Amino acid sequence: MTSHDITLERLDGPNRTIEVADDETVLEAAQRAGVRLPYDCRKGTCITCVGRLLALEDGVSESDASGAEQPRDTDAFTYRRPPAALTDRERTDGYVLLCIASPRTDCRIEVGPRVRAEVGDSPWS
């Protein structure tokens, strides 16, 4: 079974690197490792568990409109079901629903209230 190292970074720390098997979600692995992450629906219909992809291990990324390098969630994750609470633009900007996302590569993800505030409320709430 393949697994990936996912580093969960918080603005105020602490940062933690967890091992996530390819058949589990980031949230499931975090809970197994004793790392607390916020969550609610576990179905990808709310944004309580949202994180933001910061970088991929292999460095694959694309440039955004400003020319800044931007890793894409489609390069790093598969979803158990469509991430209904995220718009295409939010996914392009690197936002990931950690309750339904399974990694395909090692990466770094920002988590915490700042990321949640950037996305705003769920379109389904």
Side-chain angles (χ1 to χ4, degrees):
M1 177 177 296
T2 304
S3 64
H4 303 283
D5 290 332
I6 306 299
T7 300
L8 302 170
E9 297 187 9
R10 298 176 195 274
L11 185 62
D12 303 359
N15 298 334
R16 291 277 310 267
T17 299
I18 59 173
E19 185 174 294
V20 184
D22 59 0
D23 66 343
E24 68 182 343
T25 67
V26 175
L27 176 63
E28 290 167 343
Q31 290 178 325
R32 181 176 39 77
V35 177
R36 296 180 66 186
L37 290 177
Y39 66 94
D40 190 12
C41 72
R42 289 184 173 259
K43 298 177 183 174
T45 58
C46 75
I47 59 163
T48 304
C49 66
V50 71
R52 185 168 189 184
L53 182 62
L54 297 174
L56 304 177
E57 164 78 19
D58 64 6
V60 173
S61 61
E62 65 179 20
S63 298
D64 65 13
S66 68
E69 293 294 313
Q70 183 76 37
R72 298 177 310 162
D73 75 331
T74 54
D75 296 327
F77 296 96
T78 58
Y79 281 105
R80 287 187 175 169
R81 59 186 58 146
L86 292 178
T87 65
D88 290 341
R89 177 67 186 173
E90 289 165 338
R91 290 188 66 191
T92 300
D93 288 345
Y95 293 100
V96 180
L97 296 178
L98 303 177
C99 72
I100 58 171
S102 298
R104 295 183 353 198
T105 186
D106 297 352
C107 61
R108 295 176 24 237
I109 303 169
E110 181 181 3
V111 295
R114 186 175 84 150
V115 178
R116 169 74 166 72
E118 289 172 351
V119 176
D121 292 328
S122 168
W124 313 112
S125 60

